[in-house]
Amino acid sequence: MEKKKILIRIGSLRHGGAEKVLVTFLKNLPKDKYEIDLLLNLYSGKYLAEVPDWINVLYLNKGGMITTNRIQDIPKKAYRVLYQNLLKTFPKILYSTILKNKKYDVEFAAIHGMRDDILNSPIKSSKKIVWIHNDLRKTEFHNYTDQEIRKFFGFDKIMVISEHIQKDFENLAQNEVEKYKIVRIYNPLNTEEILNKSDASTPLSMTNHQPTFVSVGTVFPQKGFDRLLKVHKKLLDEGYQHQIKIIGDGYDFENIKNLKTELGLGKTAEMLGFTENPFPYVKAADFYILSSRYEGFPTVLFEAITLKKNIIATDVSGVQEMLENGKLGLIVENSEQGIYKGMKKALSNPESFSQYQENLKDYKMPFNLENSVNKIMEIIDE
């Protein structure tokens, strides 16, 4: 049987949730069934090394992400933007050169930012799929209006990762055909791998005797690490001794690091950068904290649930669903004050978290890796 030809597009394979989920999906696909071209805007990122070797990786630009505006970086940055915009405006150039006029059966936008790139494809016969990982009303650079979200109905299938996002799209659907396009799929998550990796030796910095809060995520304003540090400082000033560990990297890393210094938190807050295996840190911590301003469906919470951690999370998209309306962890108001109240409760009354531990004991994930991968394959194949 002839292999189905698929084009997948994403910005890069940096250390983000959507990138991690995409690579997990690719690693679990049967290689004898599909011929996949993975086209990156920028050939960079920690997850590049994990892409299976049978997948053909193509790119528009090479080199690391430029996050500064230093004079010497501006020409390179400008060239990249102009080149990408040229190929976006005249997609036939991209398809005839880099993609060598290949006729794809399926074209797949692995993040919402690739919407127009896929919808403007010169291949009119291909099935077009988009994967929405965020609450589009509250994204980093662009809060989508109803009119902007309606454009996603140009896809044949709209894969969403949470009930909140699903309802938003369903409310904008104008008929049953459009409603049928919306499919909710849990992110592929390898729980067995998480458990195995968490058994690596406990990091030295986690062996102190103070209560420790750990948070994992790309260091963007979205993740609210600035709020976390300010609350940490306030609680220390009130006499609550504890430590914070932030695991992750991103364009806001230096800003958060500077804030840590300004607040005088050199001894109690640690920024560990990106690590390929954050799970021993999560396992060794007393509490997992999600301080995000917005999310789509924070997969990191399922990782914390897998490791049976005490969880404190701001009330963002996906959290009520994942924590079963507060049965599996403490859900706090999405504000600095909410984070403060949650952490203060954890430090002043840790026994109150025993109810969550009880509920986590026999908790079974509502999905597994195989089911999620099979569901996406069904969408590709139907």
Side-chain angles (χ1 to χ4, degrees), residues 34 78 109 113 164 176 194 200 209 215 248 255 271 373:
Y34 305 113
H164 174 86
E176 288 306 311
I194 291 164
H209 299 297
S215 196
N255 291 334
M271 296 189 67
V373 172

Side-chain angles (χ1 to χ4, degrees), residues 275-297:
T275 169
E276 283 177 19
N277 183 12
F279 303 118
Y281 289 95
V282 177
K283 187 180 179 180
D286 300 287
F287 299 92
Y288 185 86
I289 183 149
L290 181 91
S291 55
S292 296
R293 289 182 164 90
Y294 63 90
E295 288 284 350
F297 199 68

Side-chain angles (χ1 to χ4, degrees), residues 236-275:
L236 286 173
D237 289 347
E238 290 176 12
Y240 293 100
Q241 295 307 308
H242 64 291
Q243 297 216 330
I244 300 278
K245 309 283 180 191
I246 295 172
I247 301 170
D249 200 354
Y251 69 75
D252 215 27
F253 190 87
E254 288 306 315
N255 291 334
I256 299 297
K257 204 172 164 186
N258 291 339
L259 176 64
K260 187 184 88 137
T261 307
E262 279 167 35
L263 294 171
L265 301 173
K267 291 182 179 172
T268 56
E270 193 177 4
M271 296 189 67
L272 296 153
F274 176 83
T275 169

